[in-house]
Amino acid sequence: NAGVTQTPKFQVLKTGQSMTLQCAQDMNHEYMSWYRQDPGMGLRLIHYSVGAGITDQGEVPNGYNVSRSTTEDFPLRLLSAAPSQTSVYFCASSYSEGGEQFFGPGTRLTVL
Amino acid sequence: GIQVEQSPPDLILQEGANSTLRCNFSDSVNNLQWFHQNPWGQLINLFYIPSGTKQNGRLSATTVATERYSLLYISSSQTTDSGVYFCAVDIWTGNQFYFGTGTSLTVIP
Protein backbone atom coordinates (compact mmCIF):
# COMPACT_ATOMS: atom_id res chain seq x y z
CA ASN A 1 0.00 0.00 0.00
CA ALA A 2 1.94 3.04 -1.26
CA GLY A 3 -0.63 5.61 -0.08
CA VAL A 4 -0.47 8.89 -2.02
CA THR A 5 2.40 9.24 -4.49
CA GLN A 6 3.51 12.32 -6.41
CA THR A 7 5.90 12.76 -9.30
CA PRO A 8 8.21 14.45 -9.94
CA LYS A 9 9.78 15.40 -6.58
CA PHE A 10 11.51 18.47 -8.05
CA GLN A 11 10.97 20.43 -11.27
CA VAL A 12 12.41 23.59 -12.77
CA LEU A 13 10.45 25.31 -15.57
CA LYS A 14 10.92 28.41 -17.66
CA THR A 15 8.16 30.99 -17.82
CA GLY A 16 5.55 29.96 -20.37
CA GLN A 17 6.30 26.24 -20.31
CA SER A 18 3.60 23.75 -19.48
CA MET A 19 3.78 20.62 -17.39
CA THR A 20 1.70 18.09 -15.50
CA LEU A 21 2.19 17.14 -11.87
CA GLN A 22 1.14 13.58 -11.24
CA CYS A 23 -0.75 12.29 -8.21
CA ALA A 24 -1.93 8.74 -7.58
CA GLN A 25 -3.45 6.92 -4.62
CA ASP A 26 -4.07 3.23 -4.05
CA MET A 27 -6.50 3.49 -1.14
CA ASN A 28 -9.65 3.64 -3.29
CA HIS A 29 -10.41 7.13 -1.99
CA GLU A 30 -13.11 9.08 -3.79
CA TYR A 31 -11.93 12.50 -2.66
CA MET A 32 -8.70 14.06 -3.89
CA SER A 33 -7.28 17.57 -3.67
CA TRP A 34 -4.36 19.71 -4.76
CA TYR A 35 -2.77 22.31 -2.47
CA ARG A 36 0.10 24.71 -2.80
CA GLN A 37 2.35 25.83 0.04
CA ASP A 38 4.30 29.08 -0.16
CA PRO A 39 7.09 30.02 2.29
CA GLY A 40 5.81 30.84 5.76
CA MET A 41 2.24 30.03 4.86
CA GLY A 42 -0.21 27.25 5.31
CA LEU A 43 -1.52 25.19 2.45
CA ARG A 44 -4.08 26.65 0.07
CA LEU A 45 -6.54 24.58 -1.91
CA ILE A 46 -6.20 24.76 -5.71
CA HIS A 47 -8.72 22.20 -7.03
CA TYR A 48 -10.49 19.21 -5.63
CA SER A 49 -12.45 16.20 -6.86
CA VAL A 50 -15.27 14.28 -5.21
CA GLY A 51 -15.05 11.34 -7.59
CA ALA A 52 -14.07 10.30 -11.10
CA GLY A 53 -15.32 12.84 -13.61
CA ILE A 54 -16.15 15.50 -11.00
CA THR A 55 -13.84 18.40 -10.15
CA ASP A 56 -14.27 21.85 -8.67
CA GLN A 57 -12.24 24.95 -7.89
CA GLY A 58 -10.70 25.72 -4.55
CA GLU A 59 -9.28 28.92 -3.12
CA VAL A 60 -6.53 29.60 -5.74
CA PRO A 61 -7.47 27.87 -9.04
CA ASN A 62 -6.19 30.40 -11.61
CA GLY A 63 -3.47 29.06 -13.91
CA TYR A 64 -4.19 25.40 -13.11
CA ASN A 65 -6.28 22.70 -14.77
CA VAL A 66 -7.36 19.32 -13.42
CA SER A 67 -9.24 16.29 -14.62
CA ARG A 68 -10.20 13.01 -12.96
CA SER A 69 -10.70 10.14 -15.35
CA THR A 70 -10.01 7.37 -12.81
CA THR A 71 -10.42 7.00 -9.05
CA GLU A 72 -6.67 6.52 -8.63
CA ASP A 73 -5.23 9.49 -10.54
CA PHE A 74 -5.64 13.25 -10.22
CA PRO A 75 -3.11 15.17 -12.37
CA LEU A 76 -2.58 18.93 -12.07
CA ARG A 77 -1.69 20.84 -15.23
CA LEU A 78 0.10 24.15 -15.46
CA LEU A 79 -0.80 25.54 -18.87
CA SER A 80 1.69 28.43 -19.04
CA ALA A 81 3.96 28.55 -16.01
CA ALA A 82 4.60 31.86 -14.26
CA PRO A 83 7.13 32.74 -11.52
CA SER A 84 4.19 33.23 -9.12
CA GLN A 85 3.56 29.48 -9.39
CA THR A 86 6.88 28.69 -7.74
CA SER A 87 5.76 26.68 -4.74
CA VAL A 88 5.55 23.26 -3.15
CA TYR A 89 2.56 21.29 -4.38
CA PHE A 90 0.82 18.67 -2.28
CA CYS A 91 -1.80 16.16 -3.31
CA ALA A 92 -4.18 14.68 -0.74
CA SER A 93 -6.90 12.07 -0.66
CA SER A 94 -9.64 11.06 1.75
CA TYR A 95 -12.20 8.31 1.97
CA SER A 96 -15.17 10.56 2.65
CA GLU A 97 -16.22 14.19 2.32
CA GLY A 98 -14.40 16.09 5.03
CA GLY A 99 -12.75 12.89 6.10
CA GLU A 100 -9.19 12.41 7.29
CA GLN A 101 -6.79 13.72 4.65
CA PHE A 102 -3.69 11.77 3.63
CA PHE A 103 -0.95 13.73 1.90
CA GLY A 104 1.67 12.84 -0.67
CA PRO A 105 5.32 13.85 -0.24
CA GLY A 106 5.02 17.00 -2.37
CA THR A 107 6.54 18.39 -5.58
CA ARG A 108 8.87 21.37 -5.33
CA LEU A 109 8.38 23.52 -8.45
CA THR A 110 10.54 26.48 -9.47
CA VAL A 111 9.54 28.70 -12.38
CA LEU A 112 12.31 30.93 -13.72
CA GLY B 1 -14.03 32.72 3.49
CA ILE B 2 -13.32 31.08 6.81
CA GLN B 3 -10.39 32.38 8.85
CA VAL B 4 -8.11 29.93 10.66
CA GLU B 5 -5.68 31.44 13.13
CA GLN B 6 -2.97 29.60 15.00
CA SER B 7 -0.98 30.73 18.00
CA PRO B 8 1.74 31.18 18.90
CA PRO B 9 3.43 31.57 15.48
CA ASP B 10 6.80 30.47 16.88
CA LEU B 11 7.75 28.48 19.95
CA ILE B 12 11.12 27.44 21.34
CA LEU B 13 11.18 24.79 24.06
CA GLN B 14 13.76 23.02 26.13
CA GLU B 15 13.60 19.27 25.74
CA GLY B 16 11.20 17.83 28.31
CA ALA B 17 8.95 20.90 28.49
CA ASN B 18 5.21 20.90 27.80
CA SER B 19 3.35 23.17 25.39
CA THR B 20 -0.12 24.07 24.15
CA LEU B 21 -0.84 25.15 20.59
CA ARG B 22 -4.11 26.84 19.72
CA CYS B 23 -6.25 26.94 16.58
CA ASN B 24 -9.18 29.37 16.31
CA PHE B 25 -11.62 29.31 13.41
CA SER B 26 -14.19 31.90 12.42
CA ASP B 27 -17.14 29.75 11.37
CA SER B 28 -18.86 26.45 11.89
CA VAL B 29 -16.81 23.55 10.51
CA ASN B 30 -17.48 19.98 9.53
CA ASN B 31 -14.16 18.59 10.65
CA LEU B 32 -10.73 19.56 11.97
CA GLN B 33 -7.36 17.92 11.53
CA TRP B 34 -3.92 18.54 13.07
CA PHE B 35 -0.72 17.89 11.10
CA HIS B 36 2.99 17.95 11.81
CA GLN B 37 5.22 19.05 8.95
CA ASN B 38 8.67 17.66 9.64
CA PRO B 39 11.90 19.41 8.60
CA TRP B 40 11.87 17.42 5.35
CA GLY B 41 8.50 18.87 4.40
CA GLN B 42 6.38 15.79 4.89
CA LEU B 43 2.90 16.27 6.35
CA ILE B 44 2.09 13.75 9.05
CA ASN B 45 -1.42 13.21 10.35
CA LEU B 46 -1.67 13.74 14.09
CA PHE B 47 -5.36 13.95 14.89
CA TYR B 48 -8.64 13.93 13.07
CA ILE B 49 -10.81 15.60 15.70
CA PRO B 50 -14.07 17.39 14.82
CA SER B 51 -14.98 17.49 18.52
CA GLY B 52 -13.96 16.07 21.87
CA THR B 53 -10.57 14.92 23.09
CA LYS B 54 -8.11 12.38 21.72
CA GLN B 55 -4.75 11.20 22.96
CA ASN B 56 -1.85 9.53 21.20
CA GLY B 57 1.19 8.99 23.39
CA ARG B 58 2.66 12.32 24.45
CA LEU B 59 0.25 14.25 22.23
CA SER B 60 -3.37 15.04 22.84
CA ALA B 61 -5.92 17.32 21.22
CA THR B 62 -9.21 18.89 22.22
CA THR B 63 -11.73 20.54 19.92
CA VAL B 64 -14.61 22.64 21.25
CA ALA B 65 -16.62 23.13 18.07
CA THR B 66 -19.30 25.31 19.70
CA GLU B 67 -16.61 27.80 20.77
CA ARG B 68 -14.64 27.45 17.51
CA TYR B 69 -11.24 26.42 18.77
CA SER B 70 -8.95 23.44 19.09
CA LEU B 71 -5.90 22.84 21.28
CA LEU B 72 -2.92 20.56 20.70
CA TYR B 73 -0.95 19.53 23.78
CA ILE B 74 2.61 18.28 23.57
CA SER B 75 4.04 16.86 26.77
CA SER B 76 7.67 16.00 27.54
CA SER B 77 8.79 17.45 24.22
CA GLN B 78 11.61 15.83 22.26
CA THR B 79 13.87 17.21 19.55
CA THR B 80 12.00 15.08 17.02
CA ASP B 81 8.88 17.15 17.76
CA SER B 82 10.47 20.10 15.96
CA GLY B 83 8.74 21.30 12.82
CA VAL B 84 5.58 23.17 11.94
CA TYR B 85 2.18 22.23 13.30
CA PHE B 86 -0.88 23.01 11.19
CA CYS B 87 -4.54 22.78 11.89
CA ALA B 88 -6.94 22.50 8.97
CA VAL B 89 -10.71 22.80 8.98
CA ASP B 90 -13.26 21.45 6.54
CA ILE B 91 -16.22 23.67 5.75
CA TRP B 92 -19.56 22.23 4.91
CA THR B 93 -19.37 22.57 1.12
CA GLY B 94 -17.60 19.81 -0.76
CA ASN B 95 -14.19 18.65 0.43
CA GLN B 96 -12.50 21.98 1.07
CA PHE B 97 -9.94 22.14 3.87
CA TYR B 98 -8.59 25.49 5.01
CA PHE B 99 -5.23 25.63 6.76
CA GLY B 100 -3.91 27.95 9.41
CA THR B 101 -0.47 29.51 8.97
CA GLY B 102 1.06 27.12 11.47
CA THR B 103 3.09 27.12 14.68
CA SER B 104 6.82 26.62 14.17
CA LEU B 105 8.19 24.58 17.07
CA THR B 106 11.87 24.21 17.87
CA VAL B 107 12.87 21.84 20.68
CA ILE B 108 16.44 22.30 21.88
CA PRO B 109 18.36 19.63 23.79
Side-chain angles (χ1 to χ4, degrees):
Chain A
N1 206 342
V4 181
T5 57
Q6 292 183 238
T7 55
K9 286 188 170 57
F10 302 94
Q11 183 70 49
V12 179
L13 292 178
K14 293 182 180 176
T15 297
Q17 287 184 315
S18 63
M19 80 158 296
T20 299
L21 279 62
Q22 302 291 344
C23 173
Q25 51 90 13
D26 61 359
M27 298 176 282
N28 202 31
H29 286 174
E30 288 294 324
Y31 298 84
M32 296 185 74
S33 305
W34 276 102
Y35 295 84
R36 62 177 286 173
Q37 183 179 27
D38 300 307
M41 297 181 69
L43 281 69
R44 291 182 293 168
L45 181 66
I46 304 172
H47 285 284
Y48 65 100
S49 169
V50 300
I54 307 169
T55 64
D56 206 345
Q57 296 180 351
E59 201 179 352
V60 288
N62 292 341
Y64 307 96
N65 251 2
V66 292
S67 60
R68 183 103 178 267
S69 55
T70 67
T71 300
E72 294 77 21
D73 301 296
F74 190 41
L76 178 73
R77 296 182 188 85
L78 282 69
L79 303 174
S80 178
S84 60
Q85 294 178 303
T86 293
S87 190
V88 181
Y89 291 85
F90 288 96
C91 178
S93 73
S94 63
Y95 178 73
S96 60
E97 181 177 346
E100 185 174 6
Q101 302 269 304
F102 294 89
F103 279 84
T107 294
R108 186 174 295 274
L109 175 68
T110 302
V111 183
L112 302 175
Chain B
I2 190 169
Q3 304 300 315
V4 183
E5 295 178 353
Q6 292 186 242
S7 60
D10 300 282
L11 188 57
I12 300 175
L13 295 177
Q14 201 78 36
E15 200 168 24
N18 303 328
S19 62
T20 300
L21 282 57
R22 188 176 180 101
C23 173
N24 291 335
F25 40 97
S26 62
D27 209 343
S28 167
V29 300
N30 185 24
N31 281 311
L32 184 145
Q33 202 164 344
W34 282 98
F35 297 91
H36 175 216
Q37 187 167 41
N38 65 22
W40 296 270
Q42 188 174 3
L43 283 159
I44 299 160
N45 291 15
L46 295 178
F47 294 101
Y48 175 70
I49 183 165
S51 63
T53 297
K54 290 187 177 180
Q55 179 147 12
N56 185 1
R58 297 180 296 103
L59 273 61
S60 64
T62 295
T63 296
V64 184
T66 53
E67 297 187 22
R68 301 182 184 169
Y69 73 89
S70 183
L71 302 173
L72 177 69
Y73 305 95
I74 304 174
S75 64
S76 304
S77 57
Q78 301 175 356
T79 55
T80 51
D81 294 331
S82 296
V84 183
Y85 290 80
F86 290 104
C87 71
V89 300
D90 166 58
I91 64 175
W92 291 90
T93 57
N95 198 52
Q96 300 181 63
F97 272 79
Y98 289 84
F99 280 73
T101 51
T103 291
S104 178
L105 174 65
T106 303
V107 181
I108 53 178

